[in-house]
Amino acid sequence: MKASKLLWAVVMALTFVFTSCDWVGDEPTIEGKLDKFFDSQAQRKSFRILTGSGKPYNHKVDWHIIGITAPYSDTYLTKKVDTLSNGDLKISYDWVSFTVRENKSVIDVEVQENETGKVRAVYLNTNTSGRHITLPDMRVTQRAK
């Protein structure tokens, strides 16, 4: 009898924990797919941050930029994030820059013209408190001429 009460208490506690935490619904994620493609020309595109349920990012779960890595690698190309005078955050590497608006609801990606003759790519690595599944990470690939 005591074991069944304990089991019931554990089940109720877990139910409360899982129903009171909206781990997926509030997690910031990038709109569309993880992979963002650019042609070889210099250009700028903006991507909205959404919650896991597709609603505009509501800032309940804060996220931050860790750095830019080589795709499919843990090799950081840069970790330096600058705060601009308007409060936006900017991280750049060679041919690409990411500007995160102050409220963290939009990421602007700017690429320079690709004259290398080769496809090039980077990965924007972000993080939250470390327990979330989705993040506003993105892999940017720029095609060659």
Side-chain angles (χ1 to χ4, degrees):
M1 187 70 164
K2 224 176 194 185
S4 66
K5 284 184 180 180
L6 179 62
L7 179 60
W8 184 83
V10 168
V11 168
M12 291 305 291
L14 289 175
T15 301
F16 174 74
V17 167
F18 287 119
T19 58
S20 66
C21 297
D22 191 4
W23 290 330
V24 175
D26 283 339
E27 291 180 8
T29 187
I30 194 79
E31 74 177 317
K33 299 185 184 216
L34 171 78
D35 290 301
K36 307 298 183 190
F37 295 96
F38 290 77
D39 62 27
S40 63
Q41 300 302 311
Q43 55 191 296
R44 181 183 185 116
K45 294 183 185 179
S46 295
F47 302 98
R48 292 181 308 145
I49 305 302
L50 306 171
T51 64
S53 59
K55 296 177 184 172
Y57 174 59
N58 60 13
H59 314 282
K60 289 183 182 175
V61 178
D62 194 22
W63 64 274
H64 61 275
I65 302 167
I66 296 177
I68 298 174
T69 64
Y72 311 105
S73 168
D74 290 333
T75 303
Y76 281 96
L77 304 171
T78 185
K79 289 185 172 185
K80 186 176 186 297
V81 180
D82 295 313
T83 302
L84 305 178
S85 61
N86 63 359
D88 292 353
L89 303 173
K90 186 170 186 174
I91 185 168
S92 303
Y93 168 73
D94 191 26
W95 55 273
V96 63
S97 67
F98 300 88
T99 303
V100 178
R101 300 212 185 134
E102 184 179 19
N103 65 4
K104 296 185 179 178
S105 62
V106 174
I107 300 176
D108 296 320
V109 181
E110 188 171 356
V111 297
Q112 295 174 6
E113 186 173 356
N114 186 354
E115 298 174 340
T116 66
K118 298 178 183 179
V119 173
R120 55 189 182 183
V122 295
Y123 186 78
L124 177 66
N125 193 353
T126 65
N127 197 359
T128 60
S129 62
R131 63 179 187 192
H132 298 281
I133 299 168
T134 60
L135 297 166
D137 293 347
M138 71 172 83
R139 189 170 23 256
V140 171
T141 302
Q142 187 179 32
R143 295 178 174 96
K145 281 189 174 179

